[in-house]
Amino acid sequence: MLTLLHNAFLCTGLSDGFYPDGAVLIRDGKIVWAGSRSEMPAHMEIATSRDMGGRVIIPGLVNTHAHGGLSTHRGCCDEGDLFEWAAALAPHTSHLTTDDNRRGSYLAIMDMVRNGITTACDCTRYGAGVFASVASEIGMRSLSGALANSPELRPNGRPNWPLALEETSAAIELHRGNRLARFYLGGHSPYSCTSDLLRDVKREADRLDLPFVIHLAENRRENEIVMAKYGQSPTAWLDRLGVLDARSILAHCVWVNEPDMDILAKSGAGVAHNPTSNAKLASGIAPIPALRERGIPVGLGTDSTLSNNCLDLFQEMKLSVLLQRAVSLDGKIMGAREAFTMATSEGARVLNWDSEIGTLEIGKEADLVILNLDHPLGLTPERVLSDVVYHAGPQHVHGVMVAGSMIFENGRLTKVDEPAVRHSIQQHYKHHKH
Ligand SMILES: [Zn+2]
Ligand SMILES: [Zn+2]
């Protein structure tokens, strides 16, 4: 059963992968061919043929850092730097139940899909399997899990290790054979986890062959805390603990100096860059050009609706470029191509998933976004890249496909009754005050 998407301006995500008469051929959720319609092999038994009406097809956007389960509390604390914000949030979020987590996950995933996100790396504290279950139901791809922390360093809330390991193992079992769901093990941060805990989590991640996720060097005070305690930067400290390698996914990395960046480059770890969240929480601006110059893969992340408050990678693409230019006074330090790459193929690399997603190539999963970009002068590769990064937003998203399945089309999510879900969540919180 072959599905053909044709009459599209196809952007495969490869540097020269632009086809004004583009077509994508899909079988069993995978791409069997992508390129110019005129060069498509003849004699293909096409079951379904879909005219894209001249719209643009790009690879699905990859969100490398999110906390979907907190989406119920959007905007509940908009002031303060990271530590002030975290303290203000704790009374709201440390008592959240698995059902709260599920409701938040629905809200987050519905938003993400509407915004053209096809894969998200999500972090929670309790209920490591919740996000994946909701994402799979809605049809979005996820790499998810829980970030462990040490009760003596993060006293609010219940301890979550080895609970996170048990929950994750159960989720892996439950989702065996589900190609949309992958899992990781992680620790919250170098300042909220003891060395023993971080070593334990990383050892279990290696044993189960899972990626390892952690927040790293997000705020200047984090560096001061870790330096005072261990006499090293957070990055050097994690390196010494042996938790940094090519399977490590590091959120933020704002406060990394040259030796830190050399450590990261040597380790092979990837960075999840969250420009809006880092600015909103007064954390700073991560040195993205310097990280990427060293070959460190950098993806883009939205973080949560409490620190952003949108789950929109179009905004993150644009801001990632603008912030670097604004502080460097160098108008060429980063451009649309770099931002687009981070939001797609490089993000997939950060998540250790680039053999299957991130670009539209033969053999990869059919994860793609169909955009209405009616450029007044007509579409060219340069105009498409420029529009995607500097002009476009969720309002331009016409369709979203994951693993060959159209999960959003003509303004509607296809696998979930979104208005009913939103209504039932509002009804719930009418009766359960937060
Ligand atoms: Zn609450
Ligand atoms: Zn985070």
Side-chain angles (χ1 to χ4, degrees), residues 176-250:
R176 211 167 276 289
N178 173 5
R179 66 207 236 199
L180 297 184
R182 288 190 180 184
F183 298 91
Y184 67 77
L185 290 175
H188 178 269
S189 65
Y191 60 88
S192 65
C193 300
T194 62
S195 313
D196 283 346
L197 177 65
L198 289 175
R199 282 203 203 94
D200 278 359
V201 174
K202 177 60 175 159
R203 189 191 58 239
E204 292 302 315
D206 287 346
R207 184 176 66 81
L208 295 169
D209 193 22
L210 303 177
F212 172 81
V213 173
I214 191 166
H215 297 109
L216 177 62
E218 178 173 4
N219 179 287
R220 186 166 55 183
R221 217 183 108 204
E222 168 184 344
N223 283 42
E224 291 164 2
I225 293 167
V226 172
M227 184 61 80
K229 201 163 169 186
Y230 304 115
Q232 283 178 303
S233 73
T235 304
W237 179 240
L238 290 194
D239 185 44
R240 182 145 157 233
L241 291 178
V243 304
L244 297 182
D245 60 33
R247 306 223 64 192
S248 306
I249 300 167
L250 313 172

Side-chain angles (χ1 to χ4, degrees), residues 65-67 123 147 188 215 218 251-252 274 303-304:
H65 190 65
H67 298 263
C123 312
L147 302 180
H188 178 269
H215 297 109
E218 178 173 4
H252 306 305
N274 306 271
D303 217 343
S304 74

